[in-house]
Amino acid sequence: MNAKGAPPEAPVEEGVEEEQQVEATPEVEASEDDSGIGARVTAVFTAAEKAGQHIVTLAREEAEDIRREARAEADAYLREQKLQADKEVEQIFADARRRAEAIEEDARIAARQVEDDARVRKERLREEARLIEERITWAKEGLGEVNDRLEEVFLENEPLALPPDSGS
């Protein structure tokens, strides 16, 4: 076929009459042009269909690339957020440990103070008990002296023993 879609003309051999060449009638030429156009349209549609399929394939590949990239970015973001959360948790634990240590130290100081206060109070009570014991001892000694004096006074003032009543 030539550029117009018509079949190539056979070369004329020498010695062959021109009559043998078949001249194309306008109807035959139109039919050949129609089938050539149809073939070209079919070829254009086929090419368009292949191009469409290629575009769809490229779009799917690009969508898959975008999906993989989005998944990778999401994973990276998730790792970053997890690391940040881990850091925050570590910070919270460190703060809690510091607070607990401060509370524990305050409790130790308070316990030492209570122990010291109890020790001082115990010493005071011992001293007070010792003083009370001394006072009791002093009071006993004083009462003993008073008793001795009273006995002396009663013995001096006591009448001589009376004879027992004989029957009165």
Side-chain angles (χ1 to χ4, degrees):
M1 291 193 182
N2 63 18
K4 293 183 180 180
E9 295 179 10
V12 179
E13 292 182 22
E14 286 182 28
V16 177
E17 292 180 14
E18 287 185 346
E19 289 179 7
Q20 290 181 348
Q21 290 183 350
V22 177
E23 288 187 25
T25 61
E27 292 173 356
V28 171
E29 283 182 18
S31 170
E32 287 178 5
D33 283 344
D34 286 347
S35 69
I37 290 174
R40 281 189 254 160
V41 167
T42 302
V44 167
F45 280 138
T46 303
E49 190 175 294
K50 286 182 180 179
Q53 289 174 351
H54 183 67
I55 289 170
V56 167
T57 302
L58 289 176
R60 285 183 179 144
E61 289 173 358
E62 186 173 343
E64 188 59 34
D65 289 345
I66 290 170
R67 191 174 316 143
R68 276 192 297 270
E69 185 178 318
R71 189 171 291 132
E73 288 176 6
D75 289 345
Y77 179 76
L78 182 64
R79 281 190 301 275
E80 180 181 325
Q81 291 301 310
K82 186 178 182 305
L83 286 174
Q84 187 170 347
D86 288 345
K87 286 179 184 176
E88 289 176 13
V89 166
E90 287 177 20
Q91 184 64 39
I92 290 168
F93 278 147
D95 290 346
R97 272 189 229 108
R98 281 192 292 274
R99 287 185 198 150
E101 288 170 358
I103 290 169
E104 188 176 354
E105 183 60 27
D106 290 346
R108 282 188 189 122
I109 291 169
R112 278 188 229 123
Q113 185 64 42
V114 167
E115 288 173 353
D116 290 345
D117 290 349
R119 198 173 304 112
V120 168
R121 176 107 170 119
K122 185 178 178 181
E123 289 300 317
R124 279 190 202 147
L125 290 173
R126 282 185 182 161
E127 183 63 23
E128 287 176 13
R130 188 187 62 78
L131 290 173
I132 290 172
E133 286 176 1
E134 284 180 7
R135 287 181 190 158
I136 290 172
T137 304
W138 176 78
K140 281 181 181 180
E141 289 174 359
L143 286 174
E145 288 176 15
V146 167
N147 190 31
D148 290 343
R149 285 186 191 165
L150 284 174
E151 284 180 7
E152 285 177 17
V153 169
F154 280 121
L155 287 178
E156 290 175 4
N157 292 331
E158 186 176 297
L160 295 169
L162 294 173
D165 279 337
S166 45
S168 36

